[in-house]
Amino acid sequence: MNRRYRKTIIAGNWKMNKTPSETKAFAEEFKALLPKTKWCDVVVCVPFIDVPAAVRAFKDSRVAVGAENLYFEKSGAFTGEVSADMLADLDVRYVIIGHSERRQYFGETDITVNKKVHAALGVGLNPIICVGESLEQREMGVTMDLIALQVKSALAGVAPEQVRKCVIAYEPIWAIGTGKTATGEQAAEVCSFIRATIRGLYGARIARGVTIQYGGSMNPGNAAELLSHEDIDGGLIGGAALKPDQLMAIVHAANQN
Ligand code: PGA
């Protein structure tokens, strides 16, 4: 990470876990563990139904609340969907877009990811844009081509002054929920490549200000090493973000760097 130019952001992704009551209990426990000094940005991304409880519980703390998805249309006949306006009205600050589980199970494509990025930025939300290759793609040697395509299409039409609000999360699919973490070198190689891709699109000054996270089985045991790399500016954490003490241990690892 490089704190001089960009924010370090540790973000939890709860996926389809926790009820509103469990959200409140998590927040109380997590807030009690918050360090007094030296602080990276902390975001907890929760299921839609938990958003009001999370916003209420984290109000007046340094923890920002995020959602895990949105729909790109403003409003209308889209049964079961949630718009960017609805999230912004609840004081949600971040939204995960294009997580590999959404691409895999819910038909998310590079095109819908781009529309969602625009919808989020349009109401001032910070998109956390997920990119990453499968094991087959890594073995075929197309990782960098795929990452370039995902980053470029996610950011298509995004104005330079808005790119700073975007977070990119590099999440190799083979490392998500598998306990199989990318090595620091593997993660750093792709995160540096993502920055180079943004540099190619927007220039060096803007590229050095964008936060690029690693995600995929990050935990208290491997976080410090992963976060010690220059181009890894934080983490998107699934399993370990469900336990207040584990998420806090990762925050501490980030604070040490
Ligand atoms: P994991 O999930 O930490 O459980 O691997 C990360 C993610 O999917 O964002």
Side-chain angles (χ1 to χ4, degrees):
M1 65 180 77
N2 187 328
R3 287 179 195 276
R4 236 177 96 203
Y5 298 118
R6 48 195 178 257
K7 283 192 208 169
T8 301
I9 305 176
I10 297 297
N13 170 17
W14 281 1
K15 311 193 177 186
M16 196 174 74
N17 290 291
K18 294 194 191 291
T19 61
S21 321
E22 288 165 345
T23 301
K24 187 166 179 272
F26 176 99
E28 295 314 325
E29 211 179 315
F30 191 70
K31 280 193 296 185
L33 299 171
L34 287 174
K36 304 262 175 302
T37 52
K38 218 177 167 204
W39 184 253
C40 62
D41 284 31
V42 179
V43 183
V44 180
C45 298
V46 304
F48 289 138
I49 196 74
D50 296 331
V51 165
V55 168
R56 220 175 300 125
F58 284 121
K59 202 173 189 306
D60 304 323
S61 82
R62 289 172 295 187
V63 180
V65 174
E68 299 176 11
N69 183 30
L70 53 64
Y71 192 56
F72 50 78
E73 294 289 354
K74 285 291 268 180
S75 63
F78 304 103
T79 303
E81 292 299 309
V82 170
S83 73
D85 274 322
M86 293 171 186
L87 295 174
D89 188 66
L90 278 175
D91 285 338
V92 167
R93 303 245 319 273
Y94 289 82
V95 58
I96 298 173
I97 294 179
H99 190 281
S100 64
E101 287 149 18
R102 296 218 53 91
R103 294 180 192 251
Q104 190 181 341
Y105 305 127
F106 302 101
E108 201 84 77
T109 65
D110 287 337
I111 312 279
T112 58
V113 167
N114 177 252
K115 288 183 179 180
K116 290 181 177 196
V117 168
H118 282 282
L121 291 170
V123 299
L125 291 170
N126 299 278
I128 301 177
I129 304 163
C130 300
V131 299
E133 81 288 0
S134 66
L135 188 57
E136 292 80 358
Q137 288 162 331
R138 177 161 280 265
E139 285 168 353
M140 284 192 289
V142 299
T143 298
M144 298 310 190
D145 296 328
L146 181 88
I147 298 290
L149 180 70
Q150 289 179 332
V151 170
K152 286 181 187 173
S153 33
L155 296 177
V158 173
E161 60 277 10
Q162 293 204 300
V163 180
R164 272 176 192 282
K165 288 195 71 105
C166 297
V167 175
I168 311 284
Y170 167 54
E171 298 208 306
I173 298 170
W174 47 273
I176 295 177
T178 56
K180 216 169 153 188
T181 322
T183 63
E185 284 69 33
Q186 282 173 322
E189 186 191 17
V190 181
C191 290
S192 302
F193 177 76
I194 290 171
R195 195 172 315 284
T197 305
I198 299 173
R199 195 181 304 126
L201 295 170
Y202 296 97
R205 196 179 51 82
I206 287 178
R208 75 181 178 201
V210 175
T211 296
I212 301 176
Q213 299 173 317
Y214 166 77
S217 302
M218 191 186 266
N219 61 44
N222 59 27
E225 200 284 315
L226 285 160
L227 296 169
S228 69
H229 293 266
E230 163 85 17
D231 279 310
I232 305 181
D233 310 313
L236 184 57
I237 297 119
L242 294 172
K243 302 227 168 65
D245 57 335
Q246 290 198 16
L247 185 59
M248 190 53 75
I250 297 174
V251 170
H252 280 295
N255 281 343
Q256 271 159 30
N257 269 289

